Amino acid sequence: MDNALFSRRRAERFAQLLDEANGGRRHHVRSRDDDRLAPLVTLGRHLGVNPPAAEVDPEFRTGLRAMLLATAAREGIGTPAAARPAEKAASSRGSLLPAVTARRARARGAILIGIAAGAVAVSGISAASENAVPGDALYGMKRGTERAQLALTSSEISRGQLFLDFARTRLAEAATLRSNPSGYSAVLDDMDADTRQGVRLLTGAAAQRSDPAALAAVDAFLTDQRRSLNALEGRGSRIDRARTSESLALLESVAERADAMRAAIACGQELTVTSDTLGPIPAVCS
């Protein structure tokens, strides 16, 4: 526990150093952790004076806020003393305890500052990884950011749209890998998997609601994706062209499923009896 970056002892010392850096009372006892905490103190002060102007994804910001609020509520940060009867009762046992409690509150605040600073750093790296392609050092961060977006999204329709966005991203990456047949095929495999996931969620939502509105995202995706794939179909090696044709065939299957879903919804057919990788298989209207 002592080796953790924000163990209680280090967190308390970090809070003291932040106080000093911002003009607070100087603590004369020097800690052996001061040198390791100095860069974080500098960062914390810099963030306070010059808040970063980087744009953060709204869903990431919402998830981070929820996490920080939950941590604050669990640790009692910001809770009035009157609302904490245990601490109020304990304070009557000696005059030293309020100071200890205040120091612990500062330590907890320091932990939250560390979490927020780390989140800002991660969001900056995430932005830098947007243009990464397979083989780049930041590509793993890019895919990790996508998984985080999915984790923060609860709506089936929003998740389906995200998967289709990822499929678009995979196609853009594939366009840069024409000289790497194995890499090109692998990226198209990922693209097709994202396509199936997105379509399955959106057709499932349409079936559950008996409403074809969710299929509009599928239509828009098909228009863009077909155009981009058709531009790649005649390029590259024979193996690359054959692999591109497989993805185009998948898009045709998606278009047929979307049309069949609309027809089944329009004539009131049951939509949730059987399913496959593209979602519910609608019955043919009689």
Side-chain angles (χ1 to χ4, degrees):
M1 183 65 181
D2 188 55
N3 290 327
L5 176 62
F6 281 110
S7 65
R8 174 170 294 179
R9 178 174 54 79
R10 287 185 182 143
E12 291 178 355
R13 182 55 180 163
F14 182 39
Q16 292 175 352
L17 292 174
L18 278 177
D19 285 344
E20 293 178 8
N22 291 309
R25 180 176 65 84
R26 182 170 180 80
H27 300 266
H28 297 288
V29 179
R30 180 173 174 77
S31 168
R32 62 184 180 182
D33 296 318
D34 286 6
D35 290 338
R36 282 186 288 181
L37 292 173
L40 290 174
V41 173
T42 302
L43 175 61
R45 188 177 183 188
H46 177 75
L47 289 174
V49 176
N50 302 298
E55 290 293 329
V56 180
D57 185 272
E59 290 185 352
F60 176 83
R61 184 186 295 112
T62 300
L64 176 62
R65 180 177 182 275
M67 180 186 70
L68 293 177
L69 288 175
T71 301
R74 185 176 64 250
E75 298 294 339
I77 300 171
T79 304
R84 299 198 298 269
E87 288 187 10
K88 185 175 181 180
S91 64
S92 64
R93 292 196 296 266
S95 59
L96 181 62
L97 189 54
V100 173
T101 302
R103 188 165 64 249
R104 288 178 178 174
R106 289 198 302 272
R108 291 165 180 165
I111 293 174
L112 291 183
I113 290 173
I115 293 172
V120 169
V122 168
S123 64
I125 295 173
S126 174
S129 71
E130 286 181 357
N131 296 321
V133 297
D136 290 351
L138 292 178
Y139 189 68
M141 172 63 73
K142 180 179 182 178
R143 298 301 295 268
T145 300
E146 292 176 353
R147 290 191 293 272
Q149 287 180 272
L150 286 170
L152 293 172
T153 304
S154 57
S155 164
E156 294 292 279
I157 292 178
S158 296
R159 285 172 61 83
Q161 291 171 336
L162 268 180
F163 273 115
L164 296 186
D165 286 343
F166 299 158
R168 291 185 180 96
T169 300
R170 300 291 85 79
L171 182 54
E173 294 167 359
T176 70
L177 298 172
R178 305 299 292 172
S179 59
N180 183 351
S182 62
Y184 178 76
S185 180
V187 171
L188 288 193
D189 288 345
D190 289 345
M191 177 189 74
D192 289 350
D194 288 336
T195 297
R196 292 186 182 95
Q197 287 271 40
V199 171
R200 181 179 61 80
L201 289 169
L202 291 169
T203 55
Q208 185 177 20
R209 295 167 173 77
S210 294
D211 184 351
L215 301 177
V218 177
D219 294 339
F221 168 76
L222 287 171
T223 300
D224 296 341
Q225 205 77 342
R226 278 170 169 162
R227 182 171 55 246
S228 299
L229 266 176
N230 282 327
L232 296 180
E233 189 179 20
R235 294 163 48 190
S237 66
R238 179 179 59 82
I239 296 176
D240 285 350
R241 293 195 299 272
R243 182 61 190 82
T244 303
S245 295
E246 291 179 20
S247 292
L248 280 169
L250 173 62
L251 294 184
E252 292 306 315
S253 297
V254 169
E256 292 173 3
R257 178 60 55 84
D259 289 342
M261 290 289 298
R262 285 192 181 87
I265 291 173
C267 67
Q269 289 291 331
E270 176 65 42
L271 297 168
T272 58
V273 176
T274 58
S275 63
D276 59 12
T277 57
L278 296 181
I281 301 176
V284 177
C285 290
S286 57

